[in-house]
Amino acid sequence: MLGLVDGDIIVFRCAFAAERNEWHLHVPKDDYKGVFEYKREALEELDKRLPGKLSRVEGEDYRLFPELQLEPLSHALQNVKTLMKKVADANGLNEFDIKVFLSSGQCFRHRVAKTRPYKGSRKDKRRPTYEKEVRQYIIEQYDTYIAEDEEADDLLGIWAMKHGPHETVMITLDKDLDQIPGLKYNYMHEVGYE
C-alpha cells in the first residue's frame, strides 16, 4: 500500500499552526491598553470600557490591531513530523510507503483561464511566514514529487490511478480527489473511506 499525501495542504496547515495573532486594544478615554489572544475577547473588553456607545470610531475612541506572533521554525517543522507520523500510523504505513506531492507554483490552468485568473480570489491572501522552510523540509525528509505544469493533487490522482485504487490511499483534505475512485484518508476527521 502506498500513502499518497497532498503536501500543499500540509505545508500551509503546519506553517500557519506556528503563528498566531495577538490583539492589542487601546482606549484613550481611560488610557487602557490590553493584549488578547482572540479578537472577540478584545471586543468584549471594548464593550465594557465604552458601554452604551454604539457609534465607536476606530482611531478616535479606540485602537484595535493584530500583531503576528511567530513560534520558532522548529515548531512548524515538528508539526509536519507529527502529522506525517499520524497519517502513517493511521494507515499502517512506514516512511518508505509515503509519497508526498507538491505543486511547483504555475500550472496549465493559469494559461487556459480566460474569464478570470485561476485562483484569482486567493492572490491577496497572506501566505504563512514559514512556507518556504516547511516546503524545503518536506522535500528533504520525505519521498517528494514536484508537479510540473499541474497541481500536486493532479499528480496524486494520476499516481492513484496508475498504481490502483486499492493499492494506494490518498491522504488529503481536498474533496476534489473524491472524484477519483479508491481509498482516502482525511486526517482532520481521522476518517478513512472509499
Side-chain angles (χ1 to χ4, degrees):
M1 176 76 67
L2 290 177
L4 309 178
V5 178
D6 186 345
D8 290 344
I9 297 172
I10 292 188
V11 167
F12 276 76
R13 291 189 68 83
C14 292
F16 271 132
E19 54 186 62
R20 63 183 172 78
N21 276 329
E22 246 181 20
W23 289 90
H24 294 259
L25 173 64
H26 178 228
V27 181
K29 178 186 86 149
D30 56 4
D31 199 31
Y32 172 80
K33 292 182 181 175
V35 179
F36 300 86
E37 187 174 353
Y38 300 104
K39 184 177 183 180
R40 154 184 55 74
E41 295 170 340
L43 292 173
E44 288 169 1
E45 181 64 30
L46 182 60
D47 287 339
K48 291 177 195 171
R49 301 247 165 222
L50 299 175
K53 185 160 186 173
L54 301 176
S55 59
R56 303 174 187 140
V57 179
E58 186 163 5
E60 191 175 306
D61 297 319
Y62 72 99
R63 226 174 128 232
L64 179 63
F65 60 93
E67 187 175 280
L68 184 64
Q69 300 295 313
L70 285 176
E71 295 176 7
L73 172 60
S74 61
H75 291 200
L77 303 182
Q78 184 62 42
N79 293 339
V80 173
K81 190 175 180 180
T82 302
L83 181 56
M84 293 298 280
K85 180 167 179 13
K86 174 183 168 181
V87 299
D89 291 349
N91 291 283
L93 304 170
N94 64 44
E95 63 183 281
F96 303 107
D97 297 328
I98 292 180
K99 311 298 177 199
V100 181
F101 299 87
L102 293 170
S103 298
S104 62
Q106 288 292 317
C107 79
F108 72 92
R109 290 181 183 88
H110 290 96
R111 291 190 306 277
V112 299
K114 301 295 180 199
T115 307
R116 62 180 69 147
Y118 179 62
K119 292 189 178 180
S121 63
R122 296 184 188 177
K123 73 177 178 136
D124 295 329
K125 300 265 186 200
R126 191 179 74 73
R127 299 178 80 89
T129 304
Y130 295 135
E131 177 184 0
K132 289 180 181 139
E133 293 87 347
V134 168
R135 183 179 164 81
Q136 188 59 40
Y137 176 78
I138 288 173
I139 291 168
E140 291 170 2
Q141 297 297 316
Y142 301 96
D143 191 6
T144 304
Y145 297 83
I146 310 294
E148 296 296 333
D149 204 35
E150 60 192 345
E151 291 189 343
D153 56 349
D154 296 327
L155 189 55
L156 189 153
I158 292 166
W159 266 65
M161 294 307 296
K162 177 180 166 186
H163 293 281
H166 293 96
E167 302 304 317
T168 60
V169 58
M170 291 176 258
I171 300 166
T172 185
L173 305 178
D174 190 340
K175 293 181 294 247
D176 289 347
L177 287 168
D178 285 348
Q179 300 175 76
I180 298 170
L183 304 173
K184 312 288 188 310
Y185 181 71
N186 179 317
Y187 49 86
M188 280 293 298
H189 299 294
E190 299 180 1
V191 164
Y193 60 98
E194 185 172 355

